[in-house]
Amino acid sequence: MKKQILSILFTLSCLVTFSQIITYTSVRVDDSERDSYLELEEFWSKVHEQTIKDGLAQAWLVWEFIYENEEDSAGKPDFLIMNFHKDSVQREKGFSLNFQDYARKIYPKLSKRNFEKKWNLPRGKRNNYVLQRLDNTYWQGGSLEKGMQVQLNVFEALNDDYESYEMEYFKEWHEKGIVNGTRRWWEFNKILSSNVNVESSSSANGNPTHVTIDMSGRQLSEEEREENQLNWANRSFVDRMMGQNGSASRKMLERYQMKLLMFK
């Protein structure tokens, strides 16, 4: 089951689904509501599991943002929900459901009172984003497990060449990391639309247009670090210009660390 979900979620190997649609929902909750919110997502997990079985979705994940301290977390989301669909047609079909009626059929043994109690648990303050997968590396992350961590990077494209730099130049560096084991995954997504109800730290810094997700692998040895530094210093003129112009084509708006809490 984990292997099946993994292949759906990350579109492994060369099977990149360029039409794959991903919905991000960032959630901010009060500390006093955290446990109740997680209870709500546990309730929804069975609903999402059924939508996947019914061919209405591909995968569902809930991540928790990791911050160093309270000051670092101020004004930032606490959780991120990801819903994966193979294309916009499947997404529209899935989102057209009457989810309350759909969920009642999944929980037939719950009394009306208990169902309403679950249904009305705190949802937090939410922002919604629709993204399209543009590219990714091979998956080397092993089995999908709770607690696994990834880094989410939010960018603003500064010119029309940005996507080409990301997919045709920067991706090569990520693929080298895949080969030597220092990276386990990289993906590149374009934000198609957003519905921002709560002030976002990313939006405050600019106009978010793209997102990358990275998963780190092993640490480099001292010898490997020295070799990388030498190679970096001896880059060709073309590489230096590609890196310089590629970096100038984007603006980093925010970087988040997240750990996986739930998945279907």
Side-chain angles (χ1 to χ4, degrees):
M1 176 60 73
K2 284 186 177 181
K3 290 182 179 179
Q4 180 183 4
I5 295 172
L6 192 60
S7 64
I8 291 172
L9 169 60
F10 292 102
T11 54
L12 302 182
S13 302
C14 60
L15 300 178
V16 180
T17 307
F18 292 105
S19 60
Q20 187 182 41
I21 300 297
I22 312 161
T23 303
Y24 285 5
T25 301
S26 64
V27 184
R28 194 181 303 177
V29 298
D30 295 334
D31 290 343
S32 61
E33 295 182 338
R34 184 181 187 278
D35 291 343
S36 296
Y37 168 73
L38 292 177
E39 183 181 350
L40 174 71
E41 293 301 347
E42 287 286 358
F43 171 83
W44 271 93
S45 68
K46 289 188 177 181
V47 178
H48 288 290
E49 183 176 22
Q50 190 61 46
T51 64
I52 295 167
K53 290 179 179 178
D54 290 343
L56 300 172
Q58 287 189 309
W60 169 84
L61 300 91
V62 178
W63 302 85
E64 182 174 14
F65 289 94
I66 302 172
Y67 300 108
E68 293 184 1
N69 48 54
E70 289 189 11
E71 182 179 354
D72 186 37
S73 67
K76 296 178 181 179
D78 300 295
F79 302 95
L80 183 68
I81 305 166
M82 294 183 181
N83 285 283
F84 289 74
H85 297 87
K86 66 180 181 181
D87 53 33
S88 59
V89 175
Q90 186 187 57
R91 180 180 181 272
E92 291 303 318
K93 188 176 181 180
F95 276 71
S96 67
L97 287 173
N98 182 320
F99 273 104
Q100 191 166 11
D101 291 343
Y102 191 79
R104 287 185 188 279
K105 295 177 182 178
I106 297 167
Y107 289 98
K109 295 183 179 180
L110 275 183
S111 66
K112 182 178 180 180
R113 178 182 178 183
N114 287 335
F115 180 89
E116 292 297 329
K117 183 179 178 180
K118 293 283 188 180
W119 186 261
N120 292 311
L121 285 165
R123 294 172 48 84
K125 299 175 182 178
R126 303 186 171 207
N127 290 334
N128 296 292
Y129 307 86
V130 179
L131 300 90
Q132 180 182 12
R133 172 70 54 79
L134 297 183
D135 209 345
N136 55 252
T137 60
Y138 289 91
W139 170 258
Q140 294 292 337
S143 298
L144 197 64
E145 296 178 351
K146 293 181 180 180
M148 67 189 303
Q149 294 190 18
V150 298
Q151 181 175 282
L152 184 148
N153 308 295
V154 184
F155 292 99
E156 177 182 359
L158 299 181
N159 60 48
D160 293 338
D161 296 324
Y162 167 59
E163 291 181 2
S164 295
Y165 277 114
E166 199 72 67
M167 294 186 288
E168 298 176 28
Y169 179 71
F170 291 121
K171 182 184 177 181
E172 291 184 6
W173 291 90
H174 299 301
E175 288 177 330
K176 290 177 181 178
I178 294 290
V179 172
N180 67 26
T182 58
R183 189 171 299 280
R184 298 162 65 191
W185 175 253
W186 171 86
E187 67 178 68
F188 180 47
N189 305 307
K190 180 178 183 178
I191 300 174
L192 301 179
S193 64
S194 61
N195 182 12
V196 179
N197 303 300
V198 185
E199 183 178 352
S200 165
S201 56
S202 298
S203 298
N205 296 329
N207 176 35
T209 61
H210 295 78
V211 169
T212 65
I213 292 181
D214 303 309
M215 180 181 288
S216 299
R218 68 176 181 85
Q219 295 292 319
L220 287 173
S221 66
E222 184 63 32
E223 182 179 349
E224 288 173 317
R225 283 196 292 270
E226 291 177 358
E227 183 179 356
N228 278 357
Q229 290 173 356
L230 182 62
N231 290 338
W232 183 260
N234 294 326
R235 286 175 300 157
S236 69
F237 174 79
V238 172
D239 264 344
R240 292 199 304 272
M241 291 301 98
M242 287 291 288
Q244 179 178 319
N245 293 330
S247 296
S249 72
R250 66 186 187 182
K251 177 184 177 183
M252 168 75 79
L253 301 183
E254 196 65 76
R255 174 173 289 166
Y256 299 100
Q257 192 73 18
M258 307 187 300
K259 66 178 180 181
L260 185 60
L261 294 184
M262 307 176 196
F263 64 92
K264 292 295 182 183

